Amino acid sequence: ESLNLDYSKVNYVLLKHGVANIAFAHVRGGGELGDNWHEAGIGAANKKHGVDDYLACASYLKKIYPKIIAKGSSAGGFLVSAAMVKNPSLFSGVIM
C-alpha cells in the first residue's frame, strides 16, 4: 500500500507547536513512484533495498535533526523495525 499523505490532525498539532519536523521516505517497494520502483523493493531478495533507502533518508536527516523517531505500520512496521535493528544509533525512538 502506498503512503497516505492526507491531512493528519496529529501532524498538524506537532508542526504548529514546533514539536516535530515530519518527513516521508518514498523507499523502493512503495507504489508512489511507479511499478519499477515498487518491484525493486518487493520479494525476499529485494526487501533490503527499501530498508537501505530508509536508512539513507534517516542518515541524511540525522545531520540536520539530532533526534529521529521512525514510524511505520503493516509493511512499514517491518521496514522500520529492520532499519532500527540494522542501525539503532540513528533513531531516538520507534513507533509501530
Side-chain angles (χ1 to χ4, degrees), residues 10-22 65:
V10 172
N11 289 351
Y12 173 76
V13 171
L14 292 173
L15 291 168
K16 181 179 178 183
H17 295 284
V19 175
N21 293 292
I22 298 170
Y65 306 105

Side-chain angles (χ1 to χ4, degrees), residues 28-29 38-52 78 82 86:
R28 284 176 278 184
H38 174 69
E39 291 172 14
I42 61 171
N46 293 329
K47 288 236 184 252
K48 64 180 180 175
H49 296 148
V51 174
D52 291 341
F78 169 83
K86 195 168 182 180

Side-chain angles (χ1 to χ4, degrees), residues 29-74:
E32 299 83 13
L33 300 176
D35 290 338
N36 290 337
W37 187 256
H38 174 69
E39 291 172 14
I42 61 171
N46 293 329
K47 288 236 184 252
K48 64 180 180 175
H49 296 148
V51 174
D52 291 341
D53 293 344
Y54 194 82
L55 287 169
C57 291
S59 294
Y60 175 80
L61 291 171
K62 186 79 170 184
K63 295 174 187 174
I64 303 165
Y65 306 105
K67 292 184 180 180
I68 296 176
I69 297 175
K71 180 182 175 190
S73 60
S74 192

Side-chain angles (χ1 to χ4, degrees), residues 1-4 27 29-30 38 47 51 54 70-83 94-96:
E1 183 176 316
S2 298
L3 281 174
N4 180 354
V27 302
H38 174 69
K47 288 236 184 252
V51 174
Y54 194 82
K71 180 182 175 190
S73 60
S74 192
F78 169 83
L79 176 82
V80 165
S81 62
V94 174
I95 300 170
M96 291 189 273

